[in-house]
Amino acid sequence: MLGAIEAGGTKFVCAVSDDDLNIIEKVSFSTTDPEDTLQRIFDFFDGYEDLKSIGIGSFGPIDVNKNSIKYGYITSTPKQKWIDFDFLGMMKKHYNIPIGWTTDVNAACLGEYELGSAKENNSCIYLTIGTGIGGGAIVNGKFIEGFGHPEMGHILIKPDPKDNFEGVCPYHGNCLEGLAAGPSIEKRYGTKAQNLSSDHKIWGIVAYYLAQALVNYTLVLRPEKIILGGGVMNQPHMLDLVKEEFERLLSNYVEIPNIGAYIVTPSLENDAGVTGGLILAQQSL
Ligand code: ADP
Ligand code: ZN
């Protein structure tokens, strides 16, 4: 039996599966403080005595550098109570089994790479556009990381002349996340993004920002596929708008796969993260 934790800033999802990754049980609860959240994790997994390993995909930033003394920690998160929380260490204290550790978006990327939209590919990027923006990338089965994990949401992009918004990122103001994640839309108009009509001008602006980001990722990594998840992608036409802007900005400079197969949504939908966590658990054995 395998276990997975999708640790999000808003909610946690825990799941167990059989050895063939068929999910047997899955629970979800709100992210509160670390002690209470950890207790809920223990309450769930303690019920499964034949658990062989667990894979964790966590919100962050997190430390994924095995040579670092803070390996396994959540580090500089805006969630005060979680700053410098030794998540992996606390899990290892309670469970004497292998535990895989990566970012939430890397886990979703792994799920899509092995069993979802990118299962026929050797490389892909997974980007979520929700409360924040984050991305992970896999090339030949390995996460792209070095000193740390990628922070694809905080790249610097050109503001749209039609948009004089200063951005909401506490670090950079108008980085990609500061201009295009859900809270930036809410801050501009004083209502949740999903309450705006589908012909509102903001969708073209957000698509322009996302397309710039995808052009940059394409030029740096040349992946075979880019998968876009997260709440903002629930906006009807967002995928088409992004594809149109992307083609305009790339301007045929480099060859890419057919655009319809290149920029897609996650075929595992909401299970990409937990599925990736289960695969990570399997790999950690
Ligand atoms: P999280 O990032 O916390 O895991 P989500 O991926 O669900 O959660 O993203 C939540 C964000 O997505 C919120 O800012 C919300 O306003 C926005 N959102 C949800 N539905 C839509 C929609 N249909 N159109 C645009 N934005 C949406
Ligand atoms: Zn930023």
Side-chain angles (χ1 to χ4, degrees):
M1 186 169 254
L2 304 165
I5 303 175
E6 184 186 349
T10 313
K11 70 176 196 316
F12 270 56
V13 183
C14 296
V16 287
S17 77
D18 63 19
D19 293 348
D20 297 322
L21 305 174
N22 300 302
I23 295 175
I24 294 164
E25 202 178 340
K26 189 167 82 169
V27 295
S28 161
F29 44 86
S30 308
T31 308
T32 54
D33 58 62
E35 293 69 31
D36 174 66
T37 307
L38 210 56
Q39 192 53 53
R40 283 173 159 261
I41 294 171
F42 295 163
D43 289 346
F44 177 72
F45 288 113
D46 284 358
Y48 299 96
E49 276 175 15
D50 51 350
L51 199 61
K52 285 196 230 163
S53 59
I54 299 174
I56 305 175
S58 176
F59 76 94
I62 66 173
D63 195 330
V64 294
N65 185 339
K66 289 194 168 134
N67 297 319
S68 158
I69 49 164
K70 288 193 178 172
Y71 174 70
Y73 281 54
I74 293 179
T75 58
S76 49
T77 167
K79 295 177 96 59
Q80 291 296 323
K81 289 181 175 165
W82 290 82
I83 294 173
D84 281 339
F85 176 62
D86 183 11
F87 193 172
L88 181 62
M90 297 300 277
M91 287 295 295
K92 284 193 159 164
K93 232 187 233 175
H94 198 83
Y95 298 105
N96 189 23
I97 54 175
I99 303 180
W101 169 250
T102 194
T103 62
D104 47 1
V105 278
N106 269 353
C109 193
L110 182 60
E112 289 292 317
Y113 177 81
E114 293 289 344
L115 296 173
S117 301
K119 67 177 180 216
E120 307 294 334
N121 302 119
N122 293 316
S123 58
C124 69
I125 291 177
Y126 180 93
L127 192 75
T128 181
I129 306 105
T131 306
I133 298 183
I138 293 181
V139 176
N140 294 325
K142 289 210 148 60
F143 296 127
I144 297 281
E145 59 192 28
F147 186 72
H149 59 75
E151 280 288 349
M152 300 194 191
H154 292 266
I155 62 167
L156 308 178
I157 52 165
K158 263 195 268 187
D160 186 325
K162 296 190 292 295
D163 181 30
N164 57 13
F165 184 61
E166 68 279 9
V168 293
C169 175
Y171 291 89
H172 318 109
N174 63 359
C175 65
L176 177 65
E177 177 174 299
L179 289 178
S184 80
I185 304 170
E186 188 172 343
K187 182 86 189 286
R188 281 182 185 87
Y189 302 106
T191 183
K192 294 235 173 273
Q194 56 269 39
N195 298 334
L196 299 172
S197 69
S198 61
D199 58 1
H200 197 286
K201 72 166 186 178
I202 189 63
W203 307 123
I205 292 169
V206 167
Y208 172 62
Y209 295 144
L210 293 175
Q212 286 189 60
L214 303 197
V215 166
N216 293 342
Y217 306 149
T218 295
L219 295 174
V220 173
L221 291 174
R222 299 299 302 281
E224 289 163 59
K225 185 153 286 176
I226 299 179
I227 302 152
L228 302 179
V232 174
M233 291 309 297
N234 291 330
Q235 185 58 39
H237 315 306
M238 183 52 79
L239 187 64
D240 287 338
L241 287 172
V242 171
K243 286 196 265 194
E244 267 168 42
E245 282 291 303
F246 175 87
E247 287 194 297
R248 189 176 69 78
L249 295 174
L250 188 65
S251 198
N252 288 321
Y253 176 59
V254 291
E255 202 182 330
I256 54 156
N258 173 291
I259 188 83
Y262 184 55
I263 302 176
V264 301
T265 50
S267 70
L268 301 176
E269 299 178 5
N270 295 329
D271 277 341
V274 277
T275 303
L278 293 168
I279 297 166
L280 198 63
Q282 204 173 41
Q283 290 178 350
S284 70
L285 284 169

